[in-house]
């Protein structure tokens, strides 16, 4: 999984700088509603709903919003009916792109996402074209600027809590788990006093594609456009950007 965190680092900082609360809450509501529709409205009996609610709480979504989303999912409140599926494709430089989608109109969403990709140097692919390049893992991120740690102690406690890997990358620590161990590992780590800047299931690439400056700029612009789309819950990719190139791009944007 080496290298994944370079993109995660960029993405995490972007999220901290640009909250977009209204759009975020809308996406989280969809996730909760779909989970409730597919597995029932009791989070104790529905792991997907439980994790969706936790993600909403992590992002300070009001409890009233969470309750309304659950009721829409179970049919106790009227609302649009969303379906959940995956789109896969490629970006500049042959980068793999994996997108979790939730929409009430599959045809409209497909046309819009295809347009975004085509306009920004990418293209939509067939189902399965890139998913084999990723593994679904639990990902727990600690912001080292806000939470000072001893790396050896963190590694020991993470492994004891059920984690399978730890990476320290610049200003953040990344703890990875098997999907089935995600919730228990998070709970045990929090009981040990750790706080997470982000905690979720994610698609982690097995291998990375290193981009030159031109393709890096195109890829970052494409990812931003995709993340901004209302019907895209999450975007995962397998690109990395050399530190020197990244600093040059950030300097040009300032």
């Amino acid at each position: 999984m080496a290298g994944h965190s370079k993109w995660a680092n960029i993405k995490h900082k972007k999220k901290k700088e640009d909250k977009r609360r209204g759009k975020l809450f809308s996406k989280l509501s969809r996730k909760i509603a779909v989970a409730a529709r597919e597995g029932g409205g009791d989070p104790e009996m529905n792991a997907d709903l439980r994790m969706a609610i936790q993600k909403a709480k992590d992002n300070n979504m009001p409890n009233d919003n969470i309750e309304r989303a659950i009721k829409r999912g179970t049919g106790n409140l009227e609302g649009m009916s969303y379906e959940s599926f995956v789109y896969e494709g490629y970006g500049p430089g042959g980068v793999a792109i994996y997108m979790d989608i939730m929409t009430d109109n599959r045809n409209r969403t497909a046309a819009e996402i295809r347009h975004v990709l085509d306009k920004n140097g990418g293209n939509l692919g067939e189902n399965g074209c890139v998913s084999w390049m990723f593994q679904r893992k639990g990902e727990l991120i600690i912001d080292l600027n806000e939470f000072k740690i001893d790396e050896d102690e963190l590694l020991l406690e993470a492994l004891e809590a059920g984690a399978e890997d730890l990476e320290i990358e610049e200003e953040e620590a990344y703890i990875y788990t098997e999907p089935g161990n995600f919730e228990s590992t998070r709970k045990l780590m929090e009981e040990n006093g750790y706080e997470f800047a982000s905690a979720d299931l994610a698609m982690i690439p097995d291998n990375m594609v290193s981009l030159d400056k031109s393709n890096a700029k195109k890829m970052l612009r494409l990812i931003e456009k995709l993340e901004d789309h209302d019907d895209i819950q999450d975007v995962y990719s397998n690109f990395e950007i050399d530190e020197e190139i990244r600093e040059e791009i950030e300097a040009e944007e300032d």
Side-chain angles (χ1 to χ4, degrees), residues 210-246:
S210 183
L211 297 179
D212 59 24
K213 184 176 178 180
S214 175
N215 280 327
K217 292 175 72 173
K218 293 176 184 177
M219 191 65 213
L220 289 173
R221 184 165 57 247
L222 171 57
I223 289 291
E224 184 172 358
K225 294 290 185 182
L226 292 173
E227 285 194 327
D228 200 43
H229 195 284
D230 289 340
D231 297 337
I232 298 180
Q233 281 282 321
D234 291 293
V235 184
Y236 304 102
S237 195
N238 69 337
F239 73 91
E240 62 182 354
I241 302 173
D242 181 79
E243 181 69 24
E244 184 176 341
I245 292 175
R246 199 172 78 190

Side-chain angles (χ1 to χ4, degrees), residues 76-94:
N76 294 326
L77 278 180
E78 290 186 5
M80 292 182 179
S81 179
Y82 296 102
E83 58 177 323
S84 176
F85 52 92
V86 168
Y87 280 148
E88 301 174 42
Y90 300 92

Side-chain angles (χ1 to χ4, degrees), residues 16-64:
K16 287 196 297 184
E17 294 165 0
D18 185 4
K19 298 297 186 182
R20 296 176 178 171
R21 283 298 178 198
K23 187 179 292 291
L24 175 61
F25 286 174
S26 176
K27 292 186 177 186
L28 292 171
S29 292
R30 290 188 190 188
K31 196 177 190 77
I32 291 169
V34 169
R37 186 191 71 205
E38 295 180 350
D42 183 358
E44 294 299 320
M45 303 296 292
N46 184 343
D48 288 341
L49 177 60
R50 188 165 61 247
M51 285 190 284
I53 291 172
Q54 184 61 59
K55 185 174 181 178
K57 290 181 176 180
D58 289 344
N59 286 279
N60 300 314
M61 185 170 167
N63 287 331
D64 287 348

